[in-house]
Amino acid sequence: MDAASLVGVLLGLGLIIGAIFLGGDLSHFFNLPGIMIVVGGTIAATLITFQLKDVIAAFRAAIFVFSEKKSDPNDMVETMIELCSISRRQGLIALSRIEYENDLLRKACNLIADGSKEEMIRDTLNIEIESMKQRHFIIQDIFRKMASYAPSFGMMGTLIGLVQMLRQLNNPDTIGPAMAVALLTTFYGMLLSTLFFLPIAGKLKDRTLVELINLEIMFEGAISILEDNNPVFVYEKLSSYVPAKRRRPPRPTGAAYQTG
């Protein structure tokens, strides 16, 4: 669980709900037609803009933001150093007998074990990196678009409420409540945009940057393995991707991976 995301959402909702309680009744801020306009309209516009499979992938990614901790580049540094040590002790072919959790790392090590040249490995990993960037950009763009659609549909709901209110001007007692209901849709749109959609897009962008660092570490580590570099040299090279205060010291090799 990503504690920062959970705390942020709970804190934001808590402050807003607390402010509502201090100033009135929470039930006054519930309006089903307004919710239908904002939520339904935002989803409809998003489905018009993007393919269904991309929208589903975006919501899965949003769940991932809250359910998974952010990966640590130090882990990838340790992995590449371990693989470098294995290749030096048992040969490059040993890399093909290791079980990997990361599909791209498996591909890179299989290319190395098959005797591929550096240019081949470089081109393959660069294609994977660019493809990952494109996929993540689409997912982030979905939430950025939803962040712009929600306030627009909120304003649309407000206009609908104002039209309905103006049709009842002959009854002054209904003007105040009708105006309050009309403004609620704008509130819903702004709430979804600023507390959910934009933060999720920002969190996904942060995860993408970390993933790019991991891929760069993987790429440079694969090249180092191909060049049969010393693990100490590989650590000094790959740890440069991690801020100095967050770097882990190199650990003894030989325990992380076992060949079959």
Side-chain angles (χ1 to χ4, degrees), residues 32-87:
L32 183 58
I35 295 175
M36 292 171 59
I37 292 172
V38 175
V39 176
T42 300
I43 294 176
T46 303
L47 291 174
I48 294 172
T49 307
F50 300 94
Q51 298 183 38
L52 178 61
K53 63 182 181 65
D54 292 330
V55 176
I56 294 175
F59 280 99
R60 288 177 177 172
I63 296 174
F64 174 81
V65 165
F66 292 97
S67 61
E68 297 291 335
K69 294 179 62 176
K70 184 166 63 174
S71 60
D72 189 348
N74 282 297
D75 295 334
M76 183 57 68
V77 172
E78 291 180 352
T79 296
M80 299 312 299
I81 293 173
E82 182 67 26
L83 294 177
C84 182
S85 300
I86 291 175
S87 67

Side-chain angles (χ1 to χ4, degrees), residues 169-228:
L169 286 179
N170 58 340
N171 187 358
D173 293 338
T174 64
I175 295 178
M179 176 65 76
V181 171
L183 293 176
L184 277 179
T185 54
T186 299
F187 169 73
Y188 294 149
M190 294 302 298
L191 178 66
L192 289 175
S193 176
T194 56
L195 189 58
F196 291 99
F197 297 147
L198 284 177
I200 289 175
K203 180 70 75 171
L204 289 172
K205 182 178 180 180
D206 177 67
R207 293 292 180 94
T208 297
L209 294 176
V210 174
E211 187 66 22
L212 284 174
I213 293 175
N214 284 333
L215 292 180
E216 292 292 341
I217 292 173
M218 186 189 306
F219 171 72
E220 293 297 335
I223 300 302
S224 298
I225 292 174
L226 197 62
E227 295 175 348
D228 195 27

